[in-house]
PDB file of all heavy atoms in Angstrom:
ATOM      1  N   TYR D 666     129.765 232.572 132.733  1.00  0.00           N
ATOM      2  CA  TYR D 666     129.184 231.716 133.766  1.00  0.00           C
ATOM      3  C   TYR D 666     127.751 231.322 133.408  1.00  0.00           C
ATOM      4  O   TYR D 666     127.366 230.145 133.481  1.00  0.00           O
ATOM      5  CB  TYR D 666     129.228 232.434 135.116  1.00  0.00           C
ATOM      6  CG  TYR D 666     128.403 231.731 136.162  1.00  0.00           C
ATOM      7  CD1 TYR D 666     128.798 230.503 136.668  1.00  0.00           C
ATOM      8  CD2 TYR D 666     127.205 232.283 136.617  1.00  0.00           C
ATOM      9  CE1 TYR D 666     128.036 229.840 137.610  1.00  0.00           C
ATOM     10  CE2 TYR D 666     126.439 231.630 137.552  1.00  0.00           C
ATOM     11  CZ  TYR D 666     126.853 230.403 138.050  1.00  0.00           C
ATOM     12  OH  TYR D 666     126.088 229.751 138.968  1.00  0.00           O
ATOM     13  N   ILE D 667     126.947 232.308 133.022  1.00  0.00           N
ATOM     14  CA  ILE D 667     125.547 232.028 132.698  1.00  0.00           C
ATOM     15  C   ILE D 667     125.460 231.072 131.505  1.00  0.00           C
ATOM     16  O   ILE D 667     124.644 230.138 131.499  1.00  0.00           O
ATOM     17  CB  ILE D 667     124.800 233.343 132.414  1.00  0.00           C
ATOM     18  CG1 ILE D 667     124.664 234.157 133.722  1.00  0.00           C
ATOM     19  CG2 ILE D 667     123.429 233.072 131.814  1.00  0.00           C
ATOM     20  CD1 ILE D 667     124.035 235.528 133.533  1.00  0.00           C
ATOM     21  N   HIS D 668     126.306 231.282 130.502  1.00  0.00           N
ATOM     22  CA  HIS D 668     126.335 230.389 129.341  1.00  0.00           C
ATOM     23  C   HIS D 668     126.753 228.981 129.756  1.00  0.00           C
ATOM     24  O   HIS D 668     126.178 227.981 129.289  1.00  0.00           O
ATOM     25  CB  HIS D 668     127.286 230.951 128.293  1.00  0.00           C
ATOM     26  CG  HIS D 668     127.306 230.194 127.006  1.00  0.00           C
ATOM     27  ND1 HIS D 668     126.224 230.120 126.153  1.00  0.00           N
ATOM     28  CD2 HIS D 668     128.293 229.456 126.417  1.00  0.00           C
ATOM     29  CE1 HIS D 668     126.532 229.386 125.110  1.00  0.00           C
ATOM     30  NE2 HIS D 668     127.775 228.961 125.242  1.00  0.00           N
ATOM     31  N   GLN D 669     127.727 228.895 130.662  1.00  0.00           N
ATOM     32  CA  GLN D 669     128.201 227.601 131.150  1.00  0.00           C
ATOM     33  C   GLN D 669     127.108 226.857 131.908  1.00  0.00           C
ATOM     34  O   GLN D 669     127.062 225.620 131.883  1.00  0.00           O
ATOM     35  CB  GLN D 669     129.416 227.819 132.058  1.00  0.00           C
ATOM     36  CG  GLN D 669     130.140 226.551 132.463  1.00  0.00           C
ATOM     37  CD  GLN D 669     131.361 226.852 133.303  1.00  0.00           C
ATOM     38  OE1 GLN D 669     131.431 227.881 133.974  1.00  0.00           O
ATOM     39  NE2 GLN D 669     132.335 225.971 133.273  1.00  0.00           N
ATOM     40  N   ARG D 670     126.218 227.590 132.534  1.00  0.00           N
ATOM     41  CA  ARG D 670     125.107 226.962 133.256  1.00  0.00           C
ATOM     42  C   ARG D 670     123.958 226.559 132.329  1.00  0.00           C
ATOM     43  O   ARG D 670     122.931 226.062 132.792  1.00  0.00           O
ATOM     44  CB  ARG D 670     124.587 227.932 134.327  1.00  0.00           C
ATOM     45  CG  ARG D 670     125.506 228.082 135.533  1.00  0.00           C
ATOM     46  CD  ARG D 670     125.564 226.831 136.399  1.00  0.00           C
ATOM     47  NE  ARG D 670     124.280 226.458 136.905  1.00  0.00           N
ATOM     48  CZ  ARG D 670     123.760 226.906 138.046  1.00  0.00           C
ATOM     49  NH1 ARG D 670     124.435 227.772 138.796  1.00  0.00           N
ATOM     50  NH2 ARG D 670     122.574 226.501 138.450  1.00  0.00           N
ATOM     51  N   GLY D 671     124.128 226.777 131.017  1.00  0.00           N
ATOM     52  CA  GLY D 671     123.150 226.303 130.055  1.00  0.00           C
ATOM     53  C   GLY D 671     122.091 227.304 129.651  1.00  0.00           C
ATOM     54  O   GLY D 671     121.166 226.961 128.908  1.00  0.00           O
ATOM     55  N   GLU D 672     122.224 228.544 130.108  1.00  0.00           N
ATOM     56  CA  GLU D 672     121.248 229.578 129.741  1.00  0.00           C
ATOM     57  C   GLU D 672     121.582 230.137 128.361  1.00  0.00           C
ATOM     58  O   GLU D 672     122.740 230.410 128.051  1.00  0.00           O
ATOM     59  CB  GLU D 672     121.275 230.705 130.777  1.00  0.00           C
ATOM     60  CG  GLU D 672     120.168 231.722 130.627  1.00  0.00           C
ATOM     61  CD  GLU D 672     118.820 231.205 131.073  1.00  0.00           C
ATOM     62  OE1 GLU D 672     118.771 230.241 131.873  1.00  0.00           O
ATOM     63  OE2 GLU D 672     117.807 231.775 130.612  1.00  0.00           O
ATOM     64  N   LYS D 673     120.559 230.315 127.540  1.00  0.00           N
ATOM     65  CA  LYS D 673     120.754 230.848 126.194  1.00  0.00           C
ATOM     66  C   LYS D 673     120.991 232.347 126.267  1.00  0.00           C
ATOM     67  O   LYS D 673     120.232 233.076 126.913  1.00  0.00           O
ATOM     68  CB  LYS D 673     119.539 230.549 125.325  1.00  0.00           C
ATOM     69  CG  LYS D 673     119.704 230.961 123.871  1.00  0.00           C
ATOM     70  CD  LYS D 673     118.493 230.557 123.044  1.00  0.00           C
ATOM     71  CE  LYS D 673     118.658 230.972 121.591  1.00  0.00           C
ATOM     72  NZ  LYS D 673     117.478 230.591 120.776  1.00  0.00           N
ATOM     73  N   LEU D 674     122.041 232.820 125.612  1.00  0.00           N
ATOM     74  CA  LEU D 674     122.345 234.243 125.573  1.00  0.00           C
ATOM     75  C   LEU D 674     121.676 234.892 124.366  1.00  0.00           C
ATOM     76  O   LEU D 674     121.543 234.261 123.316  1.00  0.00           O
ATOM     77  CB  LEU D 674     123.859 234.481 125.486  1.00  0.00           C
ATOM     78  CG  LEU D 674     124.759 233.867 126.547  1.00  0.00           C
ATOM     79  CD1 LEU D 674     126.201 234.312 126.321  1.00  0.00           C
ATOM     80  CD2 LEU D 674     124.305 234.235 127.938  1.00  0.00           C
ATOM     81  N   PRO D 675     121.268 236.170 124.487  1.00  0.00           N
ATOM     82  CA  PRO D 675     120.815 236.893 123.294  1.00  0.00           C
ATOM     83  C   PRO D 675     121.894 236.859 122.214  1.00  0.00           C
ATOM     84  O   PRO D 675     123.087 236.901 122.520  1.00  0.00           O
ATOM     85  CB  PRO D 675     120.603 238.316 123.816  1.00  0.00           C
ATOM     86  CG  PRO D 675     120.320 238.147 125.279  1.00  0.00           C
ATOM     87  CD  PRO D 675     121.176 236.983 125.711  1.00  0.00           C
ATOM     88  N   GLN D 676     121.471 236.797 120.966  1.00  0.00           N
ATOM     89  CA  GLN D 676     122.408 236.606 119.870  1.00  0.00           C
ATOM     90  C   GLN D 676     123.501 237.670 119.845  1.00  0.00           C
ATOM     91  O   GLN D 676     124.667 237.363 119.565  1.00  0.00           O
ATOM     92  CB  GLN D 676     121.647 236.606 118.534  1.00  0.00           C
ATOM     93  CG  GLN D 676     122.488 236.182 117.344  1.00  0.00           C
ATOM     94  CD  GLN D 676     122.973 234.741 117.437  1.00  0.00           C
ATOM     95  OE1 GLN D 676     122.250 233.872 117.939  1.00  0.00           O
ATOM     96  NE2 GLN D 676     124.194 234.481 116.971  1.00  0.00           N
ATOM     97  N   PHE D 677     123.165 238.911 120.158  1.00  0.00           N
ATOM     98  CA  PHE D 677     124.171 239.967 120.059  1.00  0.00           C
ATOM     99  C   PHE D 677     125.206 239.895 121.182  1.00  0.00           C
ATOM    100  O   PHE D 677     126.205 240.613 121.154  1.00  0.00           O
ATOM    101  CB  PHE D 677     123.508 241.354 120.019  1.00  0.00           C
ATOM    102  CG  PHE D 677     123.118 241.921 121.356  1.00  0.00           C
ATOM    103  CD1 PHE D 677     123.931 242.848 122.002  1.00  0.00           C
ATOM    104  CD2 PHE D 677     121.930 241.545 121.968  1.00  0.00           C
ATOM    105  CE1 PHE D 677     123.566 243.385 123.221  1.00  0.00           C
ATOM    106  CE2 PHE D 677     121.566 242.070 123.185  1.00  0.00           C
ATOM    107  CZ  PHE D 677     122.376 242.996 123.817  1.00  0.00           C
ATOM    108  N   LEU D 678     124.989 239.018 122.169  1.00  0.00           N
ATOM    109  CA  LEU D 678     125.967 238.822 123.240  1.00  0.00           C
ATOM    110  C   LEU D 678     126.917 237.659 122.947  1.00  0.00           C
ATOM    111  O   LEU D 678     127.744 237.323 123.787  1.00  0.00           O
ATOM    112  CB  LEU D 678     125.264 238.574 124.571  1.00  0.00           C
ATOM    113  CG  LEU D 678     124.471 239.745 125.148  1.00  0.00           C
ATOM    114  CD1 LEU D 678     123.818 239.338 126.455  1.00  0.00           C
ATOM    115  CD2 LEU D 678     125.372 240.955 125.355  1.00  0.00           C
ATOM    116  N   LEU D 679     126.797 237.050 121.784  1.00  0.00           N
ATOM    117  CA  LEU D 679     127.699 235.962 121.392  1.00  0.00           C
ATOM    118  C   LEU D 679     128.781 236.501 120.462  1.00  0.00           C
ATOM    119  O   LEU D 679     128.477 237.264 119.545  1.00  0.00           O
ATOM    120  CB  LEU D 679     126.916 234.851 120.695  1.00  0.00           C
ATOM    121  CG  LEU D 679     125.864 234.150 121.555  1.00  0.00           C
ATOM    122  CD1 LEU D 679     125.018 233.222 120.700  1.00  0.00           C
ATOM    123  CD2 LEU D 679     126.531 233.364 122.682  1.00  0.00           C
ATOM    124  N   PRO D 680     130.050 236.142 120.637  1.00  0.00           N
ATOM    125  CA  PRO D 680     130.598 235.337 121.733  1.00  0.00           C
ATOM    126  C   PRO D 680     130.471 236.066 123.064  1.00  0.00           C
ATOM    127  O   PRO D 680     130.312 237.287 123.097  1.00  0.00           O
ATOM    128  CB  PRO D 680     132.068 235.172 121.334  1.00  0.00           C
ATOM    129  CG  PRO D 680     132.358 236.398 120.545  1.00  0.00           C
ATOM    130  CD  PRO D 680     131.112 236.697 119.780  1.00  0.00           C
ATOM    131  N   ASN D 681     130.559 235.317 124.158  1.00  0.00           N
ATOM    132  CA  ASN D 681     130.250 235.933 125.450  1.00  0.00           C
ATOM    133  C   ASN D 681     131.386 236.764 126.038  1.00  0.00           C
ATOM    134  O   ASN D 681     131.296 237.195 127.178  1.00  0.00           O
ATOM    135  CB  ASN D 681     129.764 234.882 126.462  1.00  0.00           C
ATOM    136  CG  ASN D 681     130.719 233.714 126.603  1.00  0.00           C
ATOM    137  OD1 ASN D 681     131.925 233.887 126.569  1.00  0.00           O
ATOM    138  ND2 ASN D 681     130.164 232.527 126.761  1.00  0.00           N
ATOM    139  N   ASP D 682     132.436 237.005 125.275  1.00  0.00           N
ATOM    140  CA  ASP D 682     133.457 237.970 125.684  1.00  0.00           C
ATOM    141  C   ASP D 682     133.379 239.232 124.826  1.00  0.00           C
ATOM    142  O   ASP D 682     134.339 239.990 124.713  1.00  0.00           O
ATOM    143  CB  ASP D 682     134.864 237.367 125.615  1.00  0.00           C
ATOM    144  CG  ASP D 682     135.226 236.890 124.214  1.00  0.00           C
ATOM    145  OD1 ASP D 682     134.339 236.884 123.344  1.00  0.00           O
ATOM    146  OD2 ASP D 682     136.398 236.513 124.007  1.00  0.00           O
ATOM    147  N   VAL D 683     132.207 239.456 124.210  1.00  0.00           N
ATOM    148  CA  VAL D 683     132.020 240.592 123.320  1.00  0.00           C
ATOM    149  C   VAL D 683     132.142 241.907 124.096  1.00  0.00           C
ATOM    150  O   VAL D 683     131.804 241.976 125.285  1.00  0.00           O
ATOM    151  CB  VAL D 683     130.641 240.494 122.625  1.00  0.00           C
ATOM    152  CG1 VAL D 683     129.502 240.645 123.631  1.00  0.00           C
ATOM    153  CG2 VAL D 683     130.505 241.519 121.521  1.00  0.00           C
ATOM    154  N   ASP D 684     132.644 242.939 123.418  1.00  0.00           N
ATOM    155  CA  ASP D 684     132.714 244.268 124.032  1.00  0.00           C
ATOM    156  C   ASP D 684     131.330 244.915 124.027  1.00  0.00           C
ATOM    157  O   ASP D 684     130.449 244.562 123.228  1.00  0.00           O
ATOM    158  CB  ASP D 684     133.679 245.166 123.249  1.00  0.00           C
ATOM    159  CG  ASP D 684     135.127 244.723 123.377  1.00  0.00           C
ATOM    160  OD1 ASP D 684     135.563 244.452 124.507  1.00  0.00           O
ATOM    161  OD2 ASP D 684     135.811 244.637 122.337  1.00  0.00           O
ATOM    162  N   CYS D 685     131.154 245.876 124.900  1.00  0.00           N
ATOM    163  CA  CYS D 685     129.907 246.634 124.943  1.00  0.00           C
ATOM    164  C   CYS D 685     129.683 247.305 123.581  1.00  0.00           C
ATOM    165  O   CYS D 685     130.567 248.014 123.082  1.00  0.00           O
ATOM    166  CB  CYS D 685     129.978 247.684 126.050  1.00  0.00           C
ATOM    167  SG  CYS D 685     128.506 248.715 126.171  1.00  0.00           S
ATOM    168  N   PRO D 686     128.534 247.106 122.942  1.00  0.00           N
ATOM    169  CA  PRO D 686     128.316 247.649 121.602  1.00  0.00           C
ATOM    170  C   PRO D 686     128.041 249.150 121.575  1.00  0.00           C
ATOM    171  O   PRO D 686     128.038 249.753 120.499  1.00  0.00           O
ATOM    172  CB  PRO D 686     127.101 246.865 121.099  1.00  0.00           C
ATOM    173  CG  PRO D 686     126.366 246.475 122.337  1.00  0.00           C
ATOM    174  CD  PRO D 686     127.422 246.245 123.372  1.00  0.00           C
ATOM    175  N   TRP D 687     127.785 249.747 122.734  1.00  0.00           N
ATOM    176  CA  TRP D 687     127.550 251.188 122.798  1.00  0.00           C
ATOM    177  C   TRP D 687     128.830 251.872 123.261  1.00  0.00           C
ATOM    178  O   TRP D 687     129.391 251.541 124.301  1.00  0.00           O
ATOM    179  CB  TRP D 687     126.385 251.490 123.736  1.00  0.00           C
ATOM    180  CG  TRP D 687     125.123 250.829 123.259  1.00  0.00           C
ATOM    181  CD1 TRP D 687     124.318 251.230 122.227  1.00  0.00           C
ATOM    182  CD2 TRP D 687     124.534 249.620 123.764  1.00  0.00           C
ATOM    183  NE1 TRP D 687     123.268 250.361 122.065  1.00  0.00           N
ATOM    184  CE2 TRP D 687     123.370 249.356 122.999  1.00  0.00           C
ATOM    185  CE3 TRP D 687     124.864 248.730 124.796  1.00  0.00           C
ATOM    186  CZ2 TRP D 687     122.548 248.259 123.221  1.00  0.00           C
ATOM    187  CZ3 TRP D 687     124.059 247.641 125.025  1.00  0.00           C
ATOM    188  CH2 TRP D 687     122.910 247.404 124.235  1.00  0.00           C
ATOM    189  N   ASP D 688     129.283 252.832 122.500  1.00  0.00           N
ATOM    190  CA  ASP D 688     130.604 253.413 122.699  1.00  0.00           C
ATOM    191  C   ASP D 688     130.655 254.483 123.774  1.00  0.00           C
ATOM    192  O   ASP D 688     131.729 254.830 124.253  1.00  0.00           O
ATOM    193  CB  ASP D 688     131.097 254.010 121.366  1.00  0.00           C
ATOM    194  CG  ASP D 688     132.589 254.329 121.402  1.00  0.00           C
ATOM    195  OD1 ASP D 688     133.369 253.415 121.710  1.00  0.00           O
ATOM    196  OD2 ASP D 688     132.937 255.494 121.139  1.00  0.00           O
ATOM    197  N   SER D 689     129.511 255.012 124.169  1.00  0.00           N
ATOM    198  CA  SER D 689     129.480 256.100 125.141  1.00  0.00           C
ATOM    199  C   SER D 689     128.159 256.063 125.901  1.00  0.00           C
ATOM    200  O   SER D 689     127.200 255.387 125.500  1.00  0.00           O
ATOM    201  CB  SER D 689     129.615 257.452 124.434  1.00  0.00           C
ATOM    202  OG  SER D 689     128.471 257.698 123.619  1.00  0.00           O
ATOM    203  N   ARG D 690     128.107 256.822 126.985  1.00  0.00           N
ATOM    204  CA  ARG D 690     126.866 256.920 127.752  1.00  0.00           C
ATOM    205  C   ARG D 690     125.747 257.506 126.896  1.00  0.00           C
ATOM    206  O   ARG D 690     124.596 257.060 126.974  1.00  0.00           O
ATOM    207  CB  ARG D 690     127.088 257.771 128.998  1.00  0.00           C
ATOM    208  CG  ARG D 690     125.849 257.884 129.892  1.00  0.00           C
ATOM    209  CD  ARG D 690     126.179 258.565 131.200  1.00  0.00           C
ATOM    210  NE  ARG D 690     125.046 258.538 132.105  1.00  0.00           N
ATOM    211  CZ  ARG D 690     124.177 259.554 132.258  1.00  0.00           C
ATOM    212  NH1 ARG D 690     124.350 260.682 131.569  1.00  0.00           N
ATOM    213  NH2 ARG D 690     123.172 259.459 133.102  1.00  0.00           N
ATOM    214  N   ALA D 691     126.085 258.499 126.070  1.00  0.00           N
ATOM    215  CA  ALA D 691     125.068 259.112 125.212  1.00  0.00           C
ATOM    216  C   ALA D 691     124.460 258.084 124.265  1.00  0.00           C
ATOM    217  O   ALA D 691     123.227 258.034 124.088  1.00  0.00           O
ATOM    218  CB  ALA D 691     125.677 260.266 124.427  1.00  0.00           C
ATOM    219  N   GLN D 692     125.297 257.241 123.649  1.00  0.00           N
ATOM    220  CA  GLN D 692     124.794 256.192 122.758  1.00  0.00           C
ATOM    221  C   GLN D 692     123.937 255.190 123.528  1.00  0.00           C
ATOM    222  O   GLN D 692     122.900 254.731 123.048  1.00  0.00           O
ATOM    223  CB  GLN D 692     125.953 255.480 122.077  1.00  0.00           C
ATOM    224  CG  GLN D 692     126.646 256.260 120.984  1.00  0.00           C
ATOM    225  CD  GLN D 692     127.692 255.418 120.266  1.00  0.00           C
ATOM    226  OE1 GLN D 692     127.768 254.204 120.446  1.00  0.00           O
ATOM    227  NE2 GLN D 692     128.518 256.062 119.446  1.00  0.00           N
ATOM    228  N   PHE D 693     124.402 254.838 124.713  1.00  0.00           N
ATOM    229  CA  PHE D 693     123.702 253.860 125.551  1.00  0.00           C
ATOM    230  C   PHE D 693     122.302 254.373 125.901  1.00  0.00           C
ATOM    231  O   PHE D 693     121.310 253.646 125.767  1.00  0.00           O
ATOM    232  CB  PHE D 693     124.524 253.613 126.817  1.00  0.00           C
ATOM    233  CG  PHE D 693     124.000 252.542 127.720  1.00  0.00           C
ATOM    234  CD1 PHE D 693     124.347 251.218 127.534  1.00  0.00           C
ATOM    235  CD2 PHE D 693     123.160 252.859 128.790  1.00  0.00           C
ATOM    236  CE1 PHE D 693     123.878 250.219 128.379  1.00  0.00           C
ATOM    237  CE2 PHE D 693     122.686 251.873 129.645  1.00  0.00           C
ATOM    238  CZ  PHE D 693     123.046 250.550 129.438  1.00  0.00           C
ATOM    239  N   LEU D 694     122.208 255.623 126.338  1.00  0.00           N
ATOM    240  CA  LEU D 694     120.912 256.190 126.704  1.00  0.00           C
ATOM    241  C   LEU D 694     120.004 256.333 125.485  1.00  0.00           C
ATOM    242  O   LEU D 694     118.792 256.107 125.574  1.00  0.00           O
ATOM    243  CB  LEU D 694     121.112 257.541 127.381  1.00  0.00           C
ATOM    244  CG  LEU D 694     121.841 257.513 128.735  1.00  0.00           C
ATOM    245  CD1 LEU D 694     122.000 258.927 129.277  1.00  0.00           C
ATOM    246  CD2 LEU D 694     121.101 256.638 129.742  1.00  0.00           C
ATOM    247  N   ALA D 695     120.592 256.700 124.353  1.00  0.00           N
ATOM    248  CA  ALA D 695     119.800 256.842 123.130  1.00  0.00           C
ATOM    249  C   ALA D 695     119.211 255.508 122.683  1.00  0.00           C
ATOM    250  O   ALA D 695     118.174 255.468 122.013  1.00  0.00           O
ATOM    251  CB  ALA D 695     120.658 257.439 122.017  1.00  0.00           C
ATOM    252  N   ALA D 696     119.854 254.406 123.062  1.00  0.00           N
ATOM    253  CA  ALA D 696     119.413 253.064 122.662  1.00  0.00           C
ATOM    254  C   ALA D 696     118.514 252.409 123.704  1.00  0.00           C
ATOM    255  O   ALA D 696     118.253 251.205 123.625  1.00  0.00           O
ATOM    256  CB  ALA D 696     120.631 252.177 122.406  1.00  0.00           C
ATOM    257  N   SER D 697     118.023 253.177 124.676  1.00  0.00           N
ATOM    258  CA  SER D 697     117.298 252.587 125.803  1.00  0.00           C
ATOM    259  C   SER D 697     116.047 251.808 125.386  1.00  0.00           C
ATOM    260  O   SER D 697     115.622 250.898 126.102  1.00  0.00           O
ATOM    261  CB  SER D 697     116.913 253.681 126.811  1.00  0.00           C
ATOM    262  OG  SER D 697     116.069 254.642 126.194  1.00  0.00           O
ATOM    263  N   SER D 698     115.463 252.158 124.231  1.00  0.00           N
ATOM    264  CA  SER D 698     114.265 251.455 123.756  1.00  0.00           C
ATOM    265  C   SER D 698     114.550 250.560 122.558  1.00  0.00           C
ATOM    266  O   SER D 698     113.613 250.056 121.916  1.00  0.00           O
ATOM    267  CB  SER D 698     113.178 252.471 123.380  1.00  0.00           C
ATOM    268  OG  SER D 698     112.788 253.227 124.507  1.00  0.00           O
ATOM    269  N   SER D 699     115.826 250.339 122.261  1.00  0.00           N
ATOM    270  CA  SER D 699     116.191 249.520 121.105  1.00  0.00           C
ATOM    271  C   SER D 699     115.916 248.044 121.372  1.00  0.00           C
ATOM    272  O   SER D 699     115.768 247.606 122.514  1.00  0.00           O
ATOM    273  CB  SER D 699     117.671 249.705 120.776  1.00  0.00           C
ATOM    274  OG  SER D 699     118.479 249.178 121.809  1.00  0.00           O
ATOM    275  N   SER D 700     115.867 247.272 120.297  1.00  0.00           N
ATOM    276  CA  SER D 700     115.643 245.834 120.413  1.00  0.00           C
ATOM    277  C   SER D 700     116.725 245.170 121.255  1.00  0.00           C
ATOM    278  O   SER D 700     116.439 244.320 122.107  1.00  0.00           O
ATOM    279  CB  SER D 700     115.603 245.204 119.023  1.00  0.00           C
ATOM    280  OG  SER D 700     115.560 243.798 119.099  1.00  0.00           O
ATOM    281  N   GLU D 701     117.998 245.561 121.030  1.00  0.00           N
ATOM    282  CA  GLU D 701     119.110 244.953 121.777  1.00  0.00           C
ATOM    283  C   GLU D 701     118.998 245.256 123.272  1.00  0.00           C
ATOM    284  O   GLU D 701     119.231 244.380 124.103  1.00  0.00           O
ATOM    285  CB  GLU D 701     120.448 245.469 121.239  1.00  0.00           C
ATOM    286  CG  GLU D 701     120.818 244.939 119.860  1.00  0.00           C
ATOM    287  CD  GLU D 701     120.146 245.722 118.749  1.00  0.00           C
ATOM    288  OE1 GLU D 701     119.470 246.739 119.042  1.00  0.00           O
ATOM    289  OE2 GLU D 701     120.293 245.314 117.580  1.00  0.00           O
ATOM    290  N   MET D 702     118.645 246.499 123.600  1.00  0.00           N
ATOM    291  CA  MET D 702     118.549 246.856 125.016  1.00  0.00           C
ATOM    292  C   MET D 702     117.397 246.122 125.691  1.00  0.00           C
ATOM    293  O   MET D 702     117.517 245.671 126.839  1.00  0.00           O
ATOM    294  CB  MET D 702     118.388 248.360 125.170  1.00  0.00           C
ATOM    295  CG  MET D 702     118.589 248.858 126.596  1.00  0.00           C
ATOM    296  SD  MET D 702     120.321 248.772 127.142  1.00  0.00           S
ATOM    297  CE  MET D 702     121.014 250.195 126.267  1.00  0.00           C
ATOM    298  N   LYS D 703     116.279 245.967 124.987  1.00  0.00           N
ATOM    299  CA  LYS D 703     115.158 245.223 125.554  1.00  0.00           C
ATOM    300  C   LYS D 703     115.535 243.760 125.772  1.00  0.00           C
ATOM    301  O   LYS D 703     115.188 243.164 126.806  1.00  0.00           O
ATOM    302  CB  LYS D 703     113.941 245.328 124.633  1.00  0.00           C
ATOM    303  CG  LYS D 703     113.303 246.717 124.616  1.00  0.00           C
ATOM    304  CD  LYS D 703     112.142 246.783 123.626  1.00  0.00           C
ATOM    305  CE  LYS D 703     111.522 248.165 123.595  1.00  0.00           C
ATOM    306  NZ  LYS D 703     110.426 248.267 122.585  1.00  0.00           N
ATOM    307  N   GLN D 704     116.251 243.176 124.802  1.00  0.00           N
ATOM    308  CA  GLN D 704     116.719 241.797 124.969  1.00  0.00           C
ATOM    309  C   GLN D 704     117.644 241.686 126.175  1.00  0.00           C
ATOM    310  O   GLN D 704     117.553 240.732 126.955  1.00  0.00           O
ATOM    311  CB  GLN D 704     117.472 241.348 123.717  1.00  0.00           C
ATOM    312  CG  GLN D 704     116.627 241.114 122.490  1.00  0.00           C
ATOM    313  CD  GLN D 704     117.491 240.692 121.317  1.00  0.00           C
ATOM    314  OE1 GLN D 704     118.221 239.695 121.390  1.00  0.00           O
ATOM    315  NE2 GLN D 704     117.435 241.447 120.233  1.00  0.00           N
ATOM    316  N   LEU D 705     118.540 242.647 126.308  1.00  0.00           N
ATOM    317  CA  LEU D 705     119.496 242.632 127.405  1.00  0.00           C
ATOM    318  C   LEU D 705     118.786 242.739 128.744  1.00  0.00           C
ATOM    319  O   LEU D 705     119.084 241.995 129.685  1.00  0.00           O
ATOM    320  CB  LEU D 705     120.492 243.784 127.223  1.00  0.00           C
ATOM    321  CG  LEU D 705     121.561 243.965 128.297  1.00  0.00           C
ATOM    322  CD1 LEU D 705     122.395 242.697 128.444  1.00  0.00           C
ATOM    323  CD2 LEU D 705     122.457 245.163 127.952  1.00  0.00           C
ATOM    324  N   ARG D 706     117.823 243.655 128.823  1.00  0.00           N
ATOM    325  CA  ARG D 706     117.095 243.848 130.083  1.00  0.00           C
ATOM    326  C   ARG D 706     116.284 242.612 130.441  1.00  0.00           C
ATOM    327  O   ARG D 706     116.259 242.188 131.611  1.00  0.00           O
ATOM    328  CB  ARG D 706     116.205 245.090 129.956  1.00  0.00           C
ATOM    329  CG  ARG D 706     115.775 245.684 131.287  1.00  0.00           C
ATOM    330  CD  ARG D 706     115.041 247.006 131.087  1.00  0.00           C
ATOM    331  NE  ARG D 706     115.940 248.037 130.595  1.00  0.00           N
ATOM    332  CZ  ARG D 706     115.779 248.706 129.449  1.00  0.00           C
ATOM    333  NH1 ARG D 706     114.745 248.452 128.663  1.00  0.00           N
ATOM    334  NH2 ARG D 706     116.633 249.631 129.088  1.00  0.00           N
TER     335      ARG D 706
END
C-alpha cells in the first residue's frame, strides 16, 4: 500500500512482499542498532 501511494521503500524491503530478514526474536533484538533496523524505524 505504501509503495502504491508513491513512498520510497528502504532498499532491503524490496520487493515489498519480502520475508522478515531476522529469523528469530533473538536475532531481531541483536540487530536493534543495525543499519537495516534504523532504516526500518
